[in-house]
Amino acid sequence: KKADAAAAGVEYVEEKVEEALEDEAPDAEDEEDAEPMDEEPPKVELDDEEKRETFRKSIVPDLTSYALNTSFMKFAVPDKDEGFDEVSFDWGKEGKCREFLKQWKQQLKTTTRIEELTPGEWFTNRWKDWQKALQSWHMKQHLYKASVAKKALDRAAMLQRRAATAAARERLMEMRAEKAAADKAVAEKAAAAKAVTEGETGEAAGEKKAEGAPAEKPAEEPSVEEKEPDSDEDGDDRVDFDRLDVFGVEDALDVGGGEPLFSAFGFEDWTMMSLRFELHLLVHAFKRDVNDPDRIGIHVEHLSFYYNKYFKKPLNHKFYGCEVIQELLDLTRDTVFVNRKSKVVEAQLPEEMDSAGIFIMLTEEARRDRVARVDLGDQSARLKLSQP
C-alpha cells in the first residue's frame, strides 16, 4: 500500500483498524454484568373483532372521500369474461367475495353522499308552490290582524263617544236640577211678596201660581242612540280559538269569522313551519332523484349537505338554538325522524297530499303545547331561534 501510494504521489496514512476493532469490542466485564432474559417477548393476541377483519385498516385511506363517493358504484369482482387468463380467490370463495362486495356497496350507499346529485323537476315544482302559498299565508295573517286592529279602534272610538255622551247627559241633568231649584226659589219669593201686597197668604198665592203657571217644556237630552259594535259583528260564525280542535278544522285559512289557523303565529312559528316542509320535501325528493331502491334515504350525517344542495342555503342547527343536528330533528319529529338502525332520516307524512295545510296544523299544535308548558314553568320548552 505504501508503494502504491508513493507511485501515485500521495502520502500514505496507516489505518488503525485494529484499534477501532478493539474499541468496538464489548467489554468482558459488561458481558458478565448483563443478565440473561428469563421471560419471552409478549405475544400479540387478537380479539374477536380483529379476527373478523379481512383487511388491514390504514390511517391514511387509499382514496379521498370524493373519489370513493363518485366511483365505488363501478367497483366489481373481476371475471374471466373481461379477458383474464385466471381469477383466483385466495382469501375466500368467489360467492363470499361477491356477497361481501355487495354488502359493502350497500353500506356505502347509505353512509356516503352523492356529489353530483341535482334536484329534479318534481322538487322544483313543489318548492315553488310552497313559496307561493307561504307568501299568501303571510298576507292573509297581515290582513286579518289589520282587520282586528281596525275593529278594536272602532270599538274604542265608539266607547269614547258613548262616555262623552253619558257625561253630557249627566251635566244636562245637573243643569236642569239647578235651574228647577232656582226657578222654584224665584217663584216662592215672588209669591211671598205678592201675598204681602194683596193680603193673601203665601201658601194660597203659591198654590194659585202653581195652578195657573204653564208647564215648562224640558230641554232635550243629547242623543245617545248609537249601535254598540258587537264582538261577533261581521263574523257570526267565529269560534273559541283556544278550544279549537286543530286537526278537526275543514279550512285552515278560515276557522270561523275569517280567522286563519295561523293567526297567532310569530317569527319562530313561521320559521319552524317552513323547516318542517323543507325537511319533508327533501326526504321525498331525494328518493325520487336518486332512483335507486338500495338508497333507502339520507343519512343523518349528510342531511346538511343535501339541504344545501337542494335549497341553496345552509342548514345551521345553531340558528335554531341546537347543539347538534339530532336536537334540531327532535323539534320536527312530527314531520321527520331518524331511523335508529340505519340512521336514515325518514318522513312521517306521505309524498303526495291534497293540501299543505297539515303543516299549519302541526305548527299550531306545537305552538299551543309550547305555550302551555312555558305557562306551567317549563322554560326548556321555549324556542331559542336567532331572530334577524
Side-chain angles (χ1 to χ4, degrees):
K1 293 183 179 178
K2 288 182 180 180
D4 294 340
V10 295
E11 184 179 359
Y12 173 74
V13 179
E14 187 177 356
E15 298 178 359
K16 300 181 179 180
V17 179
E18 295 182 357
E19 295 180 1
L21 292 175
E22 291 179 357
D23 294 339
E24 295 178 1
D27 192 356
E29 296 179 358
D30 294 339
E31 291 182 356
E32 294 178 358
D33 295 339
E35 298 181 358
M37 296 181 61
D38 296 335
E39 299 180 0
E40 295 182 1
K43 296 182 179 180
V44 177
E45 295 183 359
L46 303 178
D47 55 25
D48 295 337
E49 183 178 356
E50 291 174 336
K51 290 179 180 179
R52 289 193 296 267
E53 292 290 339
T54 307
F55 306 101
R56 181 178 65 87
K57 293 184 179 180
S58 174
I59 299 177
V60 180
D62 297 331
L63 298 175
T64 63
S65 298
Y66 181 85
L68 179 63
N69 296 343
T70 55
S71 61
F72 79 91
M73 287 298 298
K74 302 175 184 178
F75 293 177
V77 176
D79 199 329
K80 288 185 177 181
D81 296 340
E82 301 178 31
F84 296 102
D85 296 334
E86 181 182 1
V87 178
S88 61
F89 297 87
D90 296 335
W91 291 357
K93 295 182 179 181
E94 180 180 357
K96 289 186 177 181
C97 290
R98 296 186 182 278
E99 182 63 24
F100 177 85
L101 180 61
K102 179 181 178 181
Q103 294 179 359
W104 179 78
K105 292 172 67 174
Q106 177 61 49
Q107 182 182 4
L108 286 183
K109 284 185 177 182
T110 305
T111 58
T112 59
R113 61 194 194 188
I114 307 175
E115 302 290 344
E116 299 89 355
L117 184 65
T118 56
E121 182 179 0
W122 183 86
F123 166 83
T124 303
N125 294 335
R126 296 302 186 278
W127 178 233
K128 289 181 179 179
D129 293 342
W130 169 257
Q131 290 178 312
K132 292 179 181 178
L134 191 62
Q135 184 178 5
S136 66
W137 294 347
H138 275 286
M139 182 61 66
K140 175 74 174 179
Q141 185 195 45
H142 175 74
L143 294 176
Y144 175 76
K145 287 188 173 182
S147 175
V148 171
K150 183 178 183 302
K151 289 181 180 180
L153 291 175
D154 293 344
R155 182 176 178 80
M158 172 68 74
L159 295 177
Q160 186 177 4
R161 290 194 297 269
R162 293 193 67 189
T165 303
R169 174 188 285 183
E170 184 178 355
R171 179 58 183 162
L172 179 60
M173 297 299 292
E174 292 177 356
M175 293 175 60
R176 282 184 180 180
E178 293 174 358
K179 186 176 183 301
D183 292 344
K184 182 178 181 181
V186 172
E188 290 177 351
K189 185 176 181 180
K194 185 176 181 180
V196 172
T197 304
E198 298 178 357
E200 299 179 357
T201 63
E203 182 179 354
E207 293 176 357
K208 185 177 180 180
K209 179 70 176 176
E211 292 174 359
E216 182 178 357
K217 183 178 180 181
E220 294 183 359
E221 298 181 5
S223 175
V224 295
E225 295 296 330
E226 189 170 1
K227 184 179 179 182
E228 180 181 356
D230 189 2
S231 60
D232 289 338
E233 185 178 1
D234 298 330
D236 296 333
D237 55 346
R238 290 191 62 182
V239 297
D240 187 351
F241 187 81
D242 293 334
R243 296 184 179 181
L244 182 68
D245 181 9
V246 172
F247 297 102
V249 298
E250 297 181 358
D251 185 3
L253 303 183
D254 187 357
V255 298
E259 182 177 9
L261 188 59
F262 46 78
S263 61
F265 277 16
F267 163 77
E268 63 276 8
D269 301 302
W270 288 110
T271 304
M272 293 306 299
M273 183 177 69
S274 296
L275 179 63
R276 284 182 172 90
F277 176 81
E278 290 168 357
L279 294 178
H280 162 83
L281 181 62
L282 176 60
V283 170
H284 288 296
F286 176 83
K287 290 184 177 181
R288 278 177 164 266
D289 294 335
V290 297
N291 193 25
D292 185 353
D294 291 336
R295 291 191 180 269
I296 56 179
I298 300 175
H299 196 274
V300 65
E301 293 183 358
H302 305 313
L303 182 62
S304 299
F305 169 79
Y306 289 115
Y307 183 92
N308 187 25
K309 181 175 284 290
Y310 273 79
F311 298 107
K312 310 303 180 184
K313 58 182 180 179
L315 179 62
N316 185 5
H317 53 271
K318 293 187 179 295
F319 169 80
Y320 298 90
C322 302
E323 294 298 327
V324 294
I325 196 70
Q326 183 60 55
E327 293 182 9
L328 177 61
L329 294 176
D330 290 340
L331 295 177
T332 58
R333 57 183 174 273
D334 51 13
T335 306
V336 294
F337 68 98
V338 179
N339 188 297
R340 293 183 179 181
K341 183 178 180 180
S342 62
K343 301 299 181 182
V344 167
V345 182
E346 299 182 4
Q348 296 274 24
L349 303 175
E351 179 181 292
E352 298 290 349
M353 294 182 291
D354 296 336
S355 171
I358 183 62
F359 295 100
I360 301 176
M361 300 176 186
L362 291 171
T363 305
E364 172 61 16
E365 182 69 13
R367 185 193 70 83
R368 294 186 178 193
D369 178 70
R370 183 177 71 251
V371 171
R373 290 169 58 190
V374 171
D375 291 342
L376 292 174
D378 185 5
Q379 297 302 318
S380 64
R382 293 184 181 274
L383 293 176
K384 302 176 184 179
L385 274 67
S386 302
Q387 297 194 18

